[in-house]
Amino acid sequence: GKLRSFGLEVEMSAQITKGLTIQYSGGLTDAKYQKLDFVSDGNQIDLSGNKQVFTPMSNNLLGLQYQLKIGEHDFSIRTDYVQTGTQYFDLANKIKQEAYGVLNMRSSFSMNSFEISIWARNIGGTKYIDYAYDFGAAHLGRPRTIGVGLGYRFN
C-alpha cells in the first residue's frame, strides 16, 4: 500500500497572573491510504482513500494550573480537558470512534520532600473505545477514576 499523511501541531502557554498558567496544545492529522489492496475471503478489495488506523483526526489539550507558595510549602491545582478526534480501528474503516473529550483534575500539597495529591480522571464518565481490532477484540477507555497519591522525593 501507499499512505499520505499531513499534519499540523501547535503548543502555547501563557502566565495569566502570578501563579495562574493556561496551556493549549493541539494537532490536526489527515492520513489516508493512497493505495491499499486487501484480500478478504479470497476477494481482492480496494481500500484506497480510507483513513489510517489508530490515527485521530485531531487532538487538543486545554489546561489551567494555579500554583501558590504557602510559607515554604507548595500548593497546586490543575484542570485539563483532553479531546481526541474521530479515529478508525480497522483498514475498512468500519470500526469507528467519534470524537470525545475527558476532563481531568489534580491538586497537590508539598512539604519538604513529601507530597500528597488528590486526582480525578475522566470526571464526566465519558464512554469511548480506547482501541479495537477487526477480529472482535476491543478495549474501552478508562471510566471515572479518583485517587490519592503520596510521594517522597529523595535528595
Side-chain angles (χ1 to χ4, degrees), residues 76-119:
S76 72
I77 185 166
R78 181 175 178 93
T79 300
D80 290 320
Y81 179 75
V82 182
Q83 183 268 344
T84 302
T86 300
Q87 66 180 313
Y88 296 91
F89 299 107
D90 65 322
L91 293 172
N93 287 179
K94 291 182 180 178
I95 305 172
K96 178 181 181 181
Q97 170 61 63
E98 295 290 345
Y100 64 92
V102 295
L103 182 66
N104 306 314
M105 294 184 81
R106 182 179 191 273
S107 180
S108 67
F109 185 74
S110 300
M111 303 170 289
N112 303 322
S113 297
F114 291 96
E115 179 184 79
I116 184 166
S117 62
I118 300 170
W119 52 266

Side-chain angles (χ1 to χ4, degrees), residues 38-45:
F38 187 75
V39 177
S40 177
D41 294 326
N43 298 315
Q44 188 163 338
I45 302 168

Side-chain angles (χ1 to χ4, degrees), residues 10-69:
V10 64
E11 292 184 22
M12 296 181 279
S13 181
Q15 186 169 352
I16 298 172
T17 62
K18 183 178 179 181
L20 183 62
T21 305
I22 189 167
Q23 174 189 8
Y24 171 78
S25 63
L28 297 172
T29 303
D30 181 22
K32 290 182 186 175
Y33 295 101
Q34 297 300 298
K35 178 169 176 44
L36 182 61
D37 294 323
F38 187 75
V39 177
S40 177
D41 294 326
N43 298 315
Q44 188 163 338
I45 302 168
D46 182 10
L47 298 178
S48 300
N50 284 9
K51 296 286 188 177
Q52 181 180 13
V53 297
F54 300 109
T55 306
M57 294 179 195
S58 64
N59 55 28
N60 294 281
L61 177 140
L62 181 61
L64 192 61
Q65 180 168 316
Y66 183 71
Q67 292 178 288
L68 175 68
K69 197 92 162 142

